[in-house]
Amino acid sequence: MNIELLPSAARLNMVEVVGEAQNRNVEEVQMSTIDMKMETIKKIPALMGEVDVIRAIQLLPGVQSGGEGSTGFFVRGGGLDQNLILLDEAPIYNASHLFGIFSVFNQDAIKNAELYKGGIPARYGGRLSSVLDVRMKEGNSKKTKVSGGIGLISSRLTIEGPLIKDKISYVISGRRTYGDLFLKLLPDDNPASDAQLFFYDLNGKINWRINDKNRVFISAYTGRDVLGAGDLFNLGWGNQTISARWNHIFNDKLFSNFTGIYSNFNYNLGVPSGPNEFVWTSKILNYSFKNDYTYYLNTNNTVKFGIQSTYHTFKPALIEPGGENESFNKVEYFNRYALENGIYVSNEQKIGGRFTLQYGLRLSSFSNIGQDTVYTYDDEYNNTGFNAYESGDIYNTFANLEPRLAAKFTIDDNSSVKASYNRMTQYLHLATNSTGGAPLDVWMPSSTNTAPGVADQIALGYFRNLSKNMFETSVEVYYKVLQNQIDFADNANILLNKQLEGVIRQGGGESFGAEFYVKKQTGKITGWVSYTLSRATRTVDGINNGNAYLANYHRPHSVSIVAMYALNDKLDLSATWVYNTGTRLTAPTGRFNYGTELVPVYSDRNASKMPDYHRADVGLNWKLSDDDQRWKNSLNFSIYNVYGRKNAFAINFVDNEVNLPTARMTYLFSIIPSITWNFEF
Amino acid sequence: MKIRIFLPIFITAISVLSCTKDIDFDLNEEQERIVIDGFITNVKQKHLIKITRTTSFFKTYEEAPAAENANVVLSDGVESYLCIEETPGNYYTRELAFELEKNYTLTIDYKGKTYTASDYMNSINDIDSIETFESEDLIFGDGKMKLLASIAVFVRETEGIGDYYLWKYQVKKPDTAYKDMTPTFTDWIFFPDEFVEGKSPPDGWVFFDRIPTSEIVPGSIVRLQMFGISKGYYDFLVGLRQQVFRGGLFDGPQANISTNFDNGALGYFVAASEDIAFTTKE
């Protein structure tokens, strides 16, 4: 008997390999944390096609954007300078390109970004409100891959591969914008026609797997913005970082990392030629060494401990005349030096099947080191003289204990409650007026005149996953108290002020809020909805008559909706919608005459607000090749601000053309469509 | 330092990227407040206390509305001086010279509310001499060198920080009346003594104001008033200057200018020492 078998094709369901437990958010003791994978970020519609890590985290609960077109961000009522932004462990002091419109993180070079808003582990220190830990790609250790993209304003190219297969891999990634080329098309009499306006990023990383017990990587980043207009002026700013890490496994219980870090943020501006020629440079430099250990004591206890030491150099302003300019002498404003140390230990302890505790302590210290000249002030901020210190003199030291606590109680497989407390200390202050990413910020160390900032935060959360982890939901509430926040005295002179510390006022701050988050992780439609209800105030002596006032970035209501829809194998659609209560503003309430001048009378600090902010973006990703092809390419279309909402960037009260006072709104973007072609082989 | 130059840089950079639109913005226009501009010195004259009222921000007035029928009294703690309203809102003392090194209090009763302010009349050294000279310099704008007239003032500065100076001047060309060269506070020159502390002529400190040479011709008489003012008034003037020159990205947050009045009044009551010097251009 012959039986003929008919061939039949059976289609198996796709097997998804998931790197982490899908109920991680419920299981882990860590709360107030979000891990963003680059693949997710790439699906979100992007402004001018530039996929951006910081724009993506601004869509998360508890994170406020600095305003229209700004990659500055504010976490749970904390300031712009209270976010520790790390790129492969190196601090980035200014993560903005083009006045904050883009961030320094090139999508092709980044693997993932993790944001800690609360319950910050003891291994992190130095900032009050958050840690944004961005990791670069390791490089493909099997085969060489080239990927890149051509967009409206920039192009990208990344090459990665093995130098020695399975042993040494590398990745090198570059991005450059060419927006300035369009300016050349302007008529010659337009001053912008000979303008320079571009930025670039270059990331590189080498990974060397020496053996099973030893791994080394070296990662480096450099990026710069260049702005100029012929002989009139030029301006540039950028970060350079290098980090080198040796990962050593002593035995199956003890792991360690030794890391050396260099970070440099600097800017320069000036007039490149002519009788007014000069150059002004400013920088902040760090050399840092870290040594971290993880010790698996037993199945119930994981101990982490380590030390970190950072040498800071602050060079706020070196101004040199050039060429024929003899109208002033070279000026160097006070350079400052400081040593910041941290030592920590923490333990994550499982108690029974349901309860996990994480407790830790960080001891931080900060020493001001000469050579330095420090002005002294009386109680009314009048200058009373100065103290001069020799090079190498340690003339002032702060030390702070920072307890960190987190607890989780598992209700069942799908739900848990968590609580956390953290105290953070910050020894660096950012002297800035702007809420965006203006590059001319001055970072200044705590000193005998300015005390370090301290933040205490408690948070409670309920985490629940639904439908076999298809939905992740959470509700978190937090309360944060800030001490020694800096602000400027009313009508203070901030630019090139040698006695800047004399116009700084310190005071307290308070913020609290509730964050609601629903995320759909699997299925054809994925994405999330987040809503934050919050309040952030400051109370500083000498400002607003000593009464509490709302912080600039106080936005009581904030909503983000992110949806991604896989239409078929080739087409992905995405859409986002954001809504924020308008930015706070101090508006005039009247005017008075003083002599022949009209002088505005203002309301209390930040007593008014700009119109509410809302915007929708859409995106479409179209794969032009099949998944099994070696040469892959795709087109990405996105439209920023689909319904053309004119969101205020700033509101100024000025006299109009017929000399009548008027409220003038500045806005940056209306509808911006873009197209990017991406490839990979 | 040429700080002003940086402002156009940023305004240019931002304007390349942005658009503007005039919008309706609801201001919480608050109740009217009174504004007091009082200035007394040790020079014998009728001293003026000018009282006006605030106006709506979006409306413009040629002249601020006067606060009439107020009761205005000056006091040095021992003696009181009543001020008489000669024209609406302008209250004058009789002709007198106030004494140096005394604390003066101004009390105003207006529509059932009382406002007070005090200031100390700080004595500073008299002017040694003043002279005019010409110099060639660059004026920001067209990048060309210009010949300018300058005034140099020689004063002995007392050791120790804490004196604040305010200068105004007038020029009388041959056959004309005095012209006020510093009619509004934006033209006034005011600064703390911190950069000139304890210096004395001949290598002492000088002040320059640079004006076109046509303003000071041979035979012109320059009359210079030097006031010793309090730190409070100096801070008030710095605040005013910042309000008027707003618009750069380096501006601090908007805030009301300080005042020494209580009860919500605006403006400042100044008690200043005054010295006057003359020079004739050869």
Side-chain angles (χ1 to χ4, degrees):
Chain A
M1 199 173 71
N2 249 347
I3 298 170
E4 200 172 325
L5 293 173
L6 288 170
S8 151
R11 198 179 158 130
L12 291 171
N13 284 332
M14 190 168 67
V15 177
E16 202 172 343
V17 180
V18 182
E20 60 193 38
Q22 289 215 319
N23 64 345
R24 180 184 165 196
N25 64 313
V26 170
E27 271 302 302
E28 271 192 355
V29 63
Q30 183 68 48
M31 66 185 298
S32 310
T33 304
I34 294 181
D35 189 1
M36 290 279 261
K37 296 271 180 294
M38 209 59 222
E39 298 95 82
T40 313
I41 298 172
K42 281 182 180 176
K43 285 182 187 160
I44 300 171
L47 170 63
M48 301 186 200
E50 292 300 307
V51 171
D52 203 298
V53 171
I54 292 184
R55 279 190 183 283
I57 67 158
Q58 288 173 346
L59 297 168
L60 299 174
V63 184
Q64 306 285 4
S65 142
E68 172 68 307
S70 169
T71 51
F73 62 102
F74 302 88
V75 178
R76 291 185 169 174
L80 190 68
D81 61 340
Q82 295 178 8
N83 308 309
L84 179 63
I85 303 176
L86 299 172
L87 177 61
D88 273 346
E89 301 190 55
I92 301 283
Y93 283 91
N94 187 320
S96 76
H97 276 313
L98 215 62
F99 299 102
I101 293 169
F102 302 108
S103 81
V104 297
F105 303 112
N106 172 1
Q107 54 165 312
D108 289 345
I110 304 303
K111 186 172 75 178
N112 71 320
E114 197 159 12
L115 177 74
Y116 296 84
K117 300 179 288 184
I120 297 172
R123 63 179 185 279
Y124 295 111
R127 296 291 186 281
L128 298 182
S129 288
S130 83
V131 177
L132 178 65
D133 194 349
V134 181
R135 298 286 166 156
M136 269 164 62
K137 274 185 184 169
E138 313 263 279
N140 195 319
S141 60
K142 303 283 184 200
K143 59 176 186 188
T144 302
K145 256 178 68 182
V146 178
S147 59
I150 297 172
L152 282 186
I153 65 150
S154 84
S155 283
R156 295 168 280 114
L157 187 68
T158 301
I159 304 169
E160 58 183 313
L163 280 176
I164 300 170
K165 203 176 173 185
D166 292 328
K167 209 144 181 89
I168 303 179
S169 62
Y170 70 92
V171 55
I172 181 157
S173 182
R175 160 170 78 161
R176 190 212 192 269
T177 63
Y178 32 69
D180 53 328
L181 303 181
F182 296 115
L183 297 175
K184 301 259 186 294
L185 303 175
L186 291 169
D188 278 350
D189 56 345
N190 186 320
S193 68
D194 61 350
Q196 281 179 294
L197 181 71
F198 69 91
F199 66 80
Y200 64 85
D201 295 295
L202 195 60
N203 297 67
K205 190 166 178 174
I206 290 182
N207 244 298
W208 180 20
R209 192 181 290 272
I210 301 166
N211 53 39
D212 286 347
K213 296 214 147 119
N214 293 288
R215 272 180 66 179
V216 169
F217 79 64
I218 297 171
S219 119
Y221 164 77
T222 180
R224 195 154 195 86
D225 281 70
V226 180
L227 234 103
D231 289 344
L232 279 178
F233 77 91
N234 57 17
L235 165 67
W237 72 94
N239 293 278
Q240 288 89 45
T241 67
I242 301 170
S243 35
R245 186 164 86 180
W246 170 38
N247 174 254
H248 177 65
I249 300 172
F250 286 93
N251 52 51
D252 58 4
K253 293 202 155 192
L254 186 65
F255 292 62
S256 70
N257 280 317
F258 299 83
T259 318
I261 300 159
Y262 163 82
S263 171
N264 176 351
F265 169 69
N266 59 78
Y267 61 80
N268 65 276
L269 64 117
V271 174
S273 58
N276 288 325
E277 182 178 340
F278 77 96
V279 59
W280 169 356
T281 48
S282 172
K283 62 176 135 184
I284 171 165
L285 259 175
N286 277 190
Y287 296 95
S288 191
F289 173 75
K290 277 174 75 178
N291 186 5
D292 302 283
Y293 294 86
T294 304
Y295 181 55
Y296 296 99
L297 185 65
N298 52 44
T299 50
N300 287 331
N301 289 282
T302 306
V303 183
K304 289 185 175 177
F305 56 96
I307 52 164
Q308 177 166 15
S309 191
T310 305
Y311 183 70
H312 296 277
T313 303
F314 304 84
K315 297 194 168 192
L318 167 65
I319 304 162
E320 291 170 289
E324 303 148 22
N325 187 350
E326 288 168 3
S327 64
F328 66 93
N329 299 325
K330 176 176 143 177
V331 199
E332 189 157 24
Y333 278 71
F334 299 110
N335 296 337
R336 292 227 149 150
Y337 309 92
L339 188 66
E340 183 173 358
N341 294 310
I343 179 165
Y344 70 90
V345 58
S346 72
N347 184 26
E348 185 171 324
Q349 188 178 0
K350 291 194 177 101
I351 302 166
R354 286 168 174 255
F355 203 56
T356 308
L357 265 183
Q358 191 187 66
Y359 43 90
L361 192 63
R362 186 180 179 93
L363 170 66
S364 60
S365 74
F366 189 83
S367 302
N368 297 101
I369 301 172
Q371 182 183 17
D372 205 345
T373 303
V374 182
Y375 285 98
T376 53
Y377 303 92
D378 64 16
D379 289 346
E380 269 149 16
Y381 305 98
N382 295 312
N383 176 244
T384 54
F386 63 85
N387 292 318
Y389 301 99
E390 297 289 310
S391 175
D393 274 4
I394 296 180
Y395 65 87
N396 179 46
T397 297
F398 297 102
N400 281 283
L401 270 179
E402 306 173 28
R404 315 285 173 88
L405 268 175
K408 180 214 67 178
F409 180 74
T410 305
I411 298 167
D412 56 42
D413 277 357
N414 294 317
S415 59
S416 62
V417 285
K418 300 180 194 180
S420 69
Y421 162 76
N422 65 227
R423 165 168 278 215
M424 308 295 291
T425 310
Q426 177 162 345
Y427 298 99
L428 309 184
H429 305 280
L430 182 65
T432 181
N433 274 322
S434 69
T435 49
L440 301 197
D441 295 335
V442 177
W443 283 90
M444 49 187 286
S446 294
S447 73
T448 44
N449 292 315
T450 42
V454 175
D456 291 287
Q457 188 192 178
I458 49 168
L460 283 172
Y462 174 67
F463 297 79
R464 183 176 173 88
N465 287 5
L466 305 163
S467 308
K468 293 182 182 162
N469 298 320
M470 181 187 266
F471 290 96
E472 193 181 298
T473 68
S474 65
V475 179
E476 292 192 36
V477 291
Y478 64 88
Y479 177 69
K480 182 151 78 179
V481 177
L482 299 158
Q483 297 171 45
N484 305 325
Q485 299 304 291
I486 73 165
D487 208 326
F488 294 102
D490 289 345
N491 299 307
N493 172 24
I494 292 161
L495 188 67
L496 284 181
N497 186 349
K498 282 190 179 183
Q499 296 185 13
L500 191 62
E501 290 177 339
V503 297
I504 280 178
R505 301 291 177 266
Q506 289 193 299
E510 190 183 50
S511 67
F512 52 86
E515 301 167 355
F516 302 86
Y517 185 58
V518 178
K519 184 182 178 189
K520 185 165 181 287
Q521 310 201 80
T522 53
K524 279 211 154 214
I525 295 180
T526 56
W528 65 87
V529 176
S530 88
Y531 169 65
T532 309
L533 176 70
S534 63
R535 184 175 172 85
T537 56
R538 295 275 182 277
T539 311
V540 183
D541 259 356
I543 294 174
N544 205 37
N545 300 319
N547 298 321
Y549 58 93
L550 294 167
N552 295 345
Y553 41 87
H554 163 75
R555 317 249 156 89
H557 303 284
S558 173
V559 178
S560 312
I561 300 172
V562 178
M564 289 160 273
Y565 178 55
L567 198 63
N568 55 40
D569 288 352
K570 301 266 184 187
L571 285 174
D572 283 308
L573 294 172
S574 62
T576 55
W577 186 72
V578 291
Y579 169 87
N580 287 308
T581 317
T583 305
R584 302 310 300 186
L585 167 80
T586 308
T589 59
R591 309 222 269 189
F592 70 90
N593 292 52
Y594 192 78
T596 54
E597 300 287 338
L598 282 171
V599 183
V601 181
Y602 288 106
S603 66
D604 287 350
R605 174 81 66 101
N606 293 339
S608 300
K609 70 174 185 64
M610 294 188 190
D612 290 349
Y613 181 99
H614 54 91
R615 190 192 83 227
D617 307 336
V618 292
L620 167 72
N621 201 43
W622 181 18
K623 280 185 201 160
L624 301 171
S625 48
D626 290 320
D627 282 346
D628 50 7
Q629 278 179 290
R630 180 172 161 81
W631 164 262
K632 295 187 184 69
N633 68 119
S634 64
L635 274 175
N636 184 289
F637 303 89
S638 57
I639 304 175
Y640 181 88
N641 198 3
V642 179
Y643 54 85
R645 162 90 177 165
K646 292 186 172 93
N647 284 304
F649 171 75
I651 291 177
N652 294 302
F653 296 90
V654 295
D655 285 348
N656 66 12
E657 295 68 28
V658 290
N659 271 328
L660 280 174
T662 180
R664 182 161 292 169
M665 175 179 93
T666 304
Y667 62 94
L668 294 183
F669 309 114
S670 187
I671 304 173
I672 299 194
S674 62
I675 177 167
T676 309
W677 178 65
N678 292 310
F679 62 88
E680 189 183 313
F681 59 86
Chain B
M1 268 314 304
K2 297 182 174 170
I3 293 165
R4 286 287 174 76
I5 203 167
F6 305 134
L7 300 175
I9 295 175
F10 288 98
I11 291 160
T12 310
I14 286 292
S15 62
V16 166
L17 302 165
S18 66
C19 319
T20 59
K21 182 180 139 189
D22 289 353
I23 57 167
D24 287 329
F25 194 91
D26 267 342
L27 298 176
N28 293 318
E29 300 225 90
E30 58 172 31
Q31 283 188 321
E32 193 177 82
R33 290 161 79 173
I34 72 163
V35 184
I36 302 149
D37 179 7
F39 205 109
I40 63 167
T41 75
N42 59 324
V43 167
K44 188 171 179 187
Q45 60 189 325
K46 284 163 79 176
H47 304 268
L48 171 65
I49 313 293
K50 188 180 174 71
I51 312 178
T52 54
R53 293 174 282 142
T54 58
T55 55
S56 159
F57 182 77
F58 286 128
K59 291 182 193 142
T60 46
Y61 293 86
E62 296 263 310
E63 196 130 327
E68 296 177 60
N69 303 319
N71 186 37
V72 181
V73 179
L74 273 159
S75 162
D76 60 8
V78 181
E79 209 167 333
S80 288
Y81 309 86
L82 185 69
C83 300
I84 307 297
E85 188 174 10
E86 297 192 356
T87 51
N90 294 321
Y91 301 79
Y92 286 92
T93 61
R94 64 182 163 82
E95 195 168 280
L96 79 145
F98 287 96
E99 282 173 46
L100 292 171
E101 312 276 333
K102 274 190 169 176
N103 198 52
Y104 291 92
T105 302
L106 174 64
T107 306
I108 292 167
D109 287 305
Y110 179 69
K111 288 191 175 170
K113 276 180 92 176
T114 303
Y115 307 92
T116 56
S118 297
D119 203 19
Y120 183 77
M121 196 178 285
N122 189 23
S123 138
I124 52 171
N125 292 324
D126 286 347
I127 300 165
D128 269 29
S129 62
I130 66 170
E131 59 188 57
T132 60
F133 63 97
E134 280 166 6
S135 63
E136 207 182 17
D137 212 337
L138 193 79
I139 295 223
F140 187 70
D142 60 2
K144 290 196 185 102
M145 299 297 273
K146 287 217 169 88
L147 193 63
L148 295 167
S150 295
I151 304 164
V153 183
F154 296 89
V155 187
R156 278 170 295 113
E157 221 291 309
T158 319
E159 293 231 17
I161 290 174
D163 292 332
Y164 294 85
Y165 296 88
L166 165 66
W167 290 346
K168 304 176 186 175
Y169 67 98
Q170 301 86 36
V171 177
K172 183 185 182 318
K173 288 190 211 172
D175 307 324
T176 63
Y178 272 109
K179 177 183 172 189
D180 192 353
M181 304 302 287
T182 50
T184 78
F185 81 88
T186 52
D187 306 312
W188 300 350
I189 299 112
F190 45 91
F191 52 93
D193 62 355
E194 124 198 2
F195 302 109
V196 290
E197 202 234 306
K199 286 189 174 170
S200 297
D203 54 334
W205 52 296
V206 292
F207 134 72
F208 307 94
D209 199 25
R210 301 180 307 168
I211 50 175
T213 45
S214 59
E215 296 289 351
I216 302 179
V217 296
S220 293
I221 302 168
V222 177
R223 176 182 187 266
L224 185 119
Q225 292 170 284
M226 179 174 81
F227 300 95
I229 58 173
S230 60
K231 178 175 191 300
Y233 185 53
Y234 171 75
D235 290 341
F236 174 85
L237 291 175
V238 170
L240 268 182
R241 186 166 56 191
Q242 293 210 359
Q243 297 281 12
V244 172
F245 291 110
R246 281 198 84 80
L249 288 184
F250 298 107
D251 290 341
Q254 290 92 339
N256 281 322
I257 301 157
S258 53
T259 174
N260 55 351
F261 282 96
D262 57 6
N263 243 342
L266 299 162
Y268 214 89
F269 166 58
V270 187
S273 63
E274 180 176 359
D275 187 35
I276 302 170
F278 295 87
T279 185
T280 306
K281 163 108 177 136
E282 286 161 15

